Amino acid sequence: MSDARAAAEKADEKNADRLTTLADGIFAIAMTLLVLDLHVEPGLDRAAFTDAVRQALPDLGAYALSFTILAGFWRDHRLIVRLVPRFEGVALRFALLWLGAIALVPFPTALLSEYARHPLAVAAYAGMVAVTNLLELAMFLTGRRMTEHATDAARGDVGRAVAADLASTAALFAATMPVAFAVSPLAAMWCWLALVPVKLALAHRKRTRARRHGRAG
């Protein structure tokens, strides 16, 4: 029995390693593609150079925003894989859909950097973030239902903190989609700043509970 359990645990580790390796590769590509829109033409005089740098500021802002969001997704994924070391069936399908959404992030980022004054571009970006969060939440919840693989932390306070973080992020970005059309794109983007204290509080909550669970384990 102990040999069978050891074999199962080893298989779980391999499953988690494969998913983590695939995710790391997709995140690296997506983060790298964000940089491709950042450029200033060579050979400009002083006035043209200053104007080109000024025009590049929206691209830099969109890059910084998307890189921060991708970094958050990557960090959450590392925690989720520790909580649920094996994904299969429906959970694995959600994981692949989520990685597909991650790979798509450079496209709405380019829309945002070029057309930030257009409601559709801002709404498309907010919708992308909301859907990506929902896919990661679905991946985690369906994986957690597989009680033979999910850890105690996944079903406890740590798991609830992860679910609350993903759900609140999805809700906030989804709520800004109508704001972009009804009020203004700029108002919708300012609303995204409301996520900063929420994310910081939830991140602190997750870290505290994870450390507490680790000491208890």
Side-chain angles (χ1 to χ4, degrees):
M1 180 65 68
S2 59
D3 291 341
R5 179 175 298 178
E9 291 178 354
K10 188 174 182 180
D12 290 345
E13 291 176 0
K14 289 182 178 180
N15 180 281
D17 288 344
R18 292 191 192 100
L19 184 60
T20 299
T21 300
L22 176 61
D24 287 348
I26 290 176
F27 272 102
I29 293 172
M31 288 175 167
T32 302
L33 290 176
L34 294 176
V35 186
L36 297 183
D37 289 331
L38 303 177
H39 65 278
V40 173
E41 295 182 4
L44 301 176
D45 58 29
R46 183 174 181 178
F49 172 75
T50 302
D51 185 61
V53 172
R54 187 181 301 112
Q55 291 181 6
L57 291 180
D59 295 338
L60 285 169
Y63 162 78
L65 175 64
S66 291
F67 189 92
T68 301
I69 289 174
L70 285 174
F73 280 129
W74 179 81
R75 185 183 61 247
D76 288 341
H77 170 71
R78 307 288 287 195
L79 176 58
I80 287 173
V81 169
R82 292 198 299 271
L83 296 174
V84 185
R86 185 176 181 85
F87 289 89
E88 57 189 18
V90 177
L92 182 57
R93 294 187 184 95
F94 276 126
L96 294 174
L97 287 172
W98 172 70
L99 289 174
I102 293 296
L104 191 62
V105 168
F107 173 65
T109 301
L111 290 181
L112 186 67
S113 64
E114 295 294 335
Y115 302 101
R117 296 182 180 181
H118 294 258
L120 182 58
V122 175
Y125 189 90
M128 176 274 300
V129 178
V131 168
T132 307
N133 272 275
L134 289 176
L135 287 172
E136 190 172 25
L137 177 61
M139 174 186 73
F140 173 61
L141 293 179
T142 53
R144 189 174 65 174
R145 287 199 197 101
M146 301 165 54
T147 55
E148 67 273 18
H149 299 305
T151 63
D152 292 338
R155 297 186 291 271
D157 291 343
V158 180
R160 285 190 288 271
V162 170
D165 186 5
L166 295 173
S168 62
T169 304
L172 188 145
F173 274 91
T176 62
M177 295 174 67
V179 173
F181 291 97
V183 184
S184 72
L186 183 61
M189 289 187 285
W190 275 109
C191 288
W192 296 346
L193 293 179
L195 183 63
V196 174
V198 175
K199 293 287 286 185
L200 289 175
L202 289 173
H204 176 72
R205 181 182 177 189
K206 284 189 297 184
R207 288 195 300 268
T208 300
R209 292 186 175 181
R211 287 196 298 265
R212 188 182 305 159
H213 185 274
R215 287 196 297 268

